[in-house]
């Protein structure tokens, strides 16, 4: 699949001052931004560490989200490439953090999960290989999830004495309900694509190696609709899962009233 590849964000990256890929430090990782038509594709690049989400990588992702390329796009796909989505938060880094540092973390790079969820454009996670812990939390922050058959999903945090805390529990309950969330999170078990699809966690299982292509196709299909209708409908769907029923119904009607005469 070809695309217009834009800057790699290694945290200090700016849209206007792209760094050549050769200058990136693979151990620290970076986020590549490419444009496929009107769809921005963000690729985590820290493969040697299975795209473990260090604060550096999360901050690079935040920078990428704020880039001109993403802001000017009509849809966003997040992927980890062809072998792994992400093996989760960087475990070494987490263990070193004091409670004060963790509180500061949620306000800094840890804000990236909500930032993905709050994007006005539709978002699709394109998953292959491990999608664990923070990796699954990142995927859950997207509107839709597409995986190839190699994907392995799970929230193993309980096994190392912590819990998913980047929206993972909250989003999982809304996605699959409390009973299935207990089964997955308390057992800390992994699941393959068939089960994840059956649960509704995955919207689609792509043929082997075609998760990105499939995700971009779905994103482009949504992006072809009037952008304001897509953006407002996305927010109404979020409200329908989170707001009281009466408020959500009223929001639907108000959104319709506002959209009915728009032309874009
Ligand atoms: N944080 C930091 N580094 C990680 C990581 C993580 N979450 N997951 C993998 N890595 C690193 C490994 O330390 C290793 O680095 P090294 O080559 O410098 O030693 C490299 O990525 C490859 O991982 P490895 O464990 O050798 O690969 P594997 O194929 O044998 O096992 C996993 C893959 C995903 C099963 C295993 O890496 C794992 O359990 N990771 C942690 C998953 C987790 O608990 N995530 C939730 C964190 S809250």
């Amino acid at each position: 699949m070809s695309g217009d590849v834009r800057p790699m964000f290694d945290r200090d990256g700016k849209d206007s001052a792209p760094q050549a890929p050769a200058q990136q430090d693979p151990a620290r990782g970076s986020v590549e931004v490419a444009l496929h038509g009107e769809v921005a594709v963000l690729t985590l690049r820290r493969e040697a560490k299975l795209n473990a989400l260090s604060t550096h990588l999360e901050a690079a992702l935040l920078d990428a989200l704020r880039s001109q390329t993403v802001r000017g796009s009509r849809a966003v796909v997040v992927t980890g490439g062809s072998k792994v989505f992400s093996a989760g938060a960087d475990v070494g880094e987490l263990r070193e953090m004091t409670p004060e540092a963790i509180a500061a973390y949620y306000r800094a790079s840890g804000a990236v999960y909500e930032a993905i969820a709050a994007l006005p454009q539709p978002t699709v996670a394109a998953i292959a290989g491990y999608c664990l812990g923070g990796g699954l939390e990142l995927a859950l922050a997207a509107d839709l999830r597409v995986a190839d058959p190699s994907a392995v999903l799970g929230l193993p945090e309980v096994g190392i004495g912590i819990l998913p805390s980047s929206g993972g529990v909250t989003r999982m309950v809304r996605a699959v309900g409390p009973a299935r969330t207990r089964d997955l999170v308390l057992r800390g078990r992994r699941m393959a694509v068939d089960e994840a699809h059956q649960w509704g966690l995955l919207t689609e299982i792509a043929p082997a190696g075609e998760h990105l292509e499939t995700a971009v196709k779905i994103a482009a299909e949504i992006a072809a609709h009037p952008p304001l209708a897509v953006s407002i409908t996305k927010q109404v769907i979020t409200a329908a899962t989170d707001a009281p029923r009466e408020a959500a119904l009223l929001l639907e009607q108000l959104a319709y009233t506002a959209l009915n005469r728009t032309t874009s």
Side-chain angles (χ1 to χ4, degrees):
M1 159 180 283
S2 66
D4 174 13
V5 177
R6 297 294 169 90
M8 305 268 279
F9 290 87
D10 79 338
R11 174 67 275 246
D12 311 316
K14 296 279 182 300
D15 229 3
S16 55
Q19 289 184 277
Q23 291 173 287
Q24 306 298 316
D25 178 352
R28 282 160 66 80
S30 58
V31 174
E32 182 186 290
V33 180
L35 203 56
H36 297 258
E38 293 185 298
V39 179
V41 176
L42 309 184
T43 307
L44 305 176
R45 294 271 182 228
R46 201 188 177 207
E47 212 172 87
K49 297 285 181 187
L50 306 185
N51 290 336
L53 289 155
S54 59
T55 52
H56 176 85
L57 194 59
E58 289 173 338
L61 188 54
L62 262 181
D63 285 344
L65 292 179
R66 293 176 186 136
S67 69
Q68 194 57 46
T69 308
V70 169
R71 281 189 278 127
S73 70
R74 300 267 295 251
V76 177
V77 168
V78 181
T79 187
S82 58
K83 296 197 179 75
V84 62
F85 186 77
S86 169
D90 193 307
V91 283
E93 208 175 44
L94 285 173
R95 284 298 186 203
E96 300 303 317
M97 284 191 182
T98 61
E100 290 81 359
I102 291 173
Y105 158 79
Y106 286 124
R107 294 191 298 275
S109 70
V112 71
Y113 305 86
E114 278 301 298
I116 298 247
L119 281 175
Q121 304 98 316
T123 51
V124 185
I127 305 166
Y130 289 115
C131 178
L132 302 175
L136 183 48
E137 293 183 288
L138 189 61
L140 280 168
D143 296 314
L144 302 170
R145 283 157 291 284
V146 172
D148 98 335
S150 69
V152 176
L153 291 81
L155 292 170
E157 285 88 342
V158 71
I160 54 170
I162 50 174
L163 83 164
S165 62
S166 297
V169 172
T170 305
R171 286 199 175 87
M172 189 62 79
V173 169
R174 282 160 175 71
V176 303
R180 284 179 161 167
T181 299
R182 288 188 185 99
D183 178 50
L184 191 70
V185 176
L186 294 179
R187 293 171 70 187
R189 71 180 181 89
R190 299 177 190 167
M191 58 165 60
V193 287
D194 286 342
E195 188 180 12
H197 188 241
Q198 195 207 328
W199 278 24
L201 261 186
L202 295 175
T203 341
E204 195 156 325
I205 303 174
E210 292 181 21
H211 53 294
L212 180 56
E213 207 175 320
T214 308
V216 170
K217 199 169 137 225
I218 292 169
E221 182 189 319
I222 302 172
H225 297 309
L228 198 55
V230 169
S231 172
I232 289 185
T233 304
K234 169 173 166 161
Q235 290 173 73
V236 168
I237 293 168
T238 303
T241 49
D242 292 342
R245 184 174 180 277
E246 295 306 320
L249 285 171
L250 177 62
L251 200 62
E252 262 185 51
Q253 292 173 4
L254 292 175
Y256 178 85
T257 308
L259 281 175
N260 195 34
R261 301 291 298 274
T262 58
T263 50
S264 60

